[in-house]
Amino acid sequence: MGRFSIRLKITIWFTAALVVIVLFAYLMIFVVSRQILIKTIQDSLVETVENNVDEIEYFSGMDEIRTDADIDYLIDYRKGYLEIDDDFLSKVNEVYIGLYDGKSRLIYGENPIAAKVADLEFVDSEIQKVMKDGTGYYIFDRKLTAEGLNGLWLRGVVSEEQGERQSFGIMRIALVLLPVLVVIASAGGYFIAGRTLNPIQKIAGTARKIGEENDLKCRINLGKGNDELHQLADIFNEMFERLESTFEKEQQFTSDVSHELRTPMAVISAQCEYTLEKERSVGE
């Protein structure tokens, strides 16, 4: 990893984290959405059955039936008639509703697995699950208690495959959208990392220029800001100012010393030259 830039390292780490999150999201979608969909299916089953309870009435004779009202269906039952209201829905969102007598015979409605669950005992207001040919079905029974309806049952049936199809649909959408989001987020992270690390490149460039040109007057210009990199740039600029000031003082000191020593050295040099112009004795 040492040969990779910091920008690339950040992007790789960010992308890896996103991939882990996406995999976790897939797992959650598969588990949670399935549970939610199953709960939704069961609620829809119960609601559909309950909504049909009041759509069935018993009349002992034809004279009790309102002839001016819309009659959807009449069934001979015992010594009278069952009126199935036109609002009775035998199939809603793949929820099938059937009207049964006390002998588990289907009187009205639909049940795609009627023959397969003919021996299943009716249980009032409870959801049962049965497996038929590898497929799970949820069944909800409701006992009718209105006058003349004793012994009649409403049975709702819905396939578990309905929720599985919806769950697979969500998974297919997630399989397309989440990888696209990872790619977009990674590209955005790479761009943001570059923008974030750009001041470091400016700092390095300024330091390199000072080293190559021996120009201590160069300063790092990052513009306005108060983040860590701007603070670092300010510290470097302060250091450059101190180095420049120290270097200038050193140059000034050297210049002053050179100036102060120039006259005495000239006198000494002149005296030496004068002394060497003629022969001198050892004493002299």
Side-chain angles (χ1 to χ4, degrees), residues 90-91 94-98 100 106 109-118 132-133 135-139 155-159:
S90 59
K91 179 183 178 182
E94 298 189 24
V95 177
Y96 296 87
I97 307 296
Y100 288 81
L106 181 63
E110 298 182 54
N111 187 343
I113 58 170
K116 298 178 181 179
V117 295
K132 297 296 179 181
D133 300 330
T135 302
Y137 293 89
Y138 295 104
I139 297 176
R155 167 164 284 180
V157 179
V158 64
S159 172

Side-chain angles (χ1 to χ4, degrees), residues 31 41 43 47 60 126 136 172 187:
V31 175
I41 291 172
D43 291 343
E47 181 181 3
S60 59
E126 290 187 14
R172 283 195 296 268

Side-chain angles (χ1 to χ4, degrees), residues 75 135 165 178 223 251:
I75 301 175
T135 302
R165 288 194 296 268
L178 291 182
Q251 286 183 324

Side-chain angles (χ1 to χ4, degrees), residues 242-256:
R242 289 196 296 269
L243 288 174
E244 181 184 9
S245 177
T246 301
F247 186 70
E248 288 179 350
K249 289 179 180 179
E250 181 182 352
Q251 286 183 324
Q252 184 64 39
F253 174 77
T254 303
S255 176
D256 292 343

Side-chain angles (χ1 to χ4, degrees), residues 45 98 100-106 111 113-124 126-132 135-142 153-158:
L45 171 64
Y100 288 81
D101 62 14
K103 297 181 180 180
S104 300
R105 292 179 298 189
L106 181 63
N111 187 343
I113 58 170
K116 298 178 181 179
V117 295
D119 56 344
L120 183 65
E121 182 180 355
F122 288 99
V123 180
D124 188 32
E126 290 187 14
I127 297 177
Q128 303 180 76
K129 182 179 180 180
V130 297
M131 297 295 297
K132 297 296 179 181
T135 302
Y137 293 89
Y138 295 104
I139 297 176
F140 181 75
D141 300 323
R142 186 69 161 78
W153 290 81
L154 282 179
R155 167 164 284 180
V157 179
V158 64

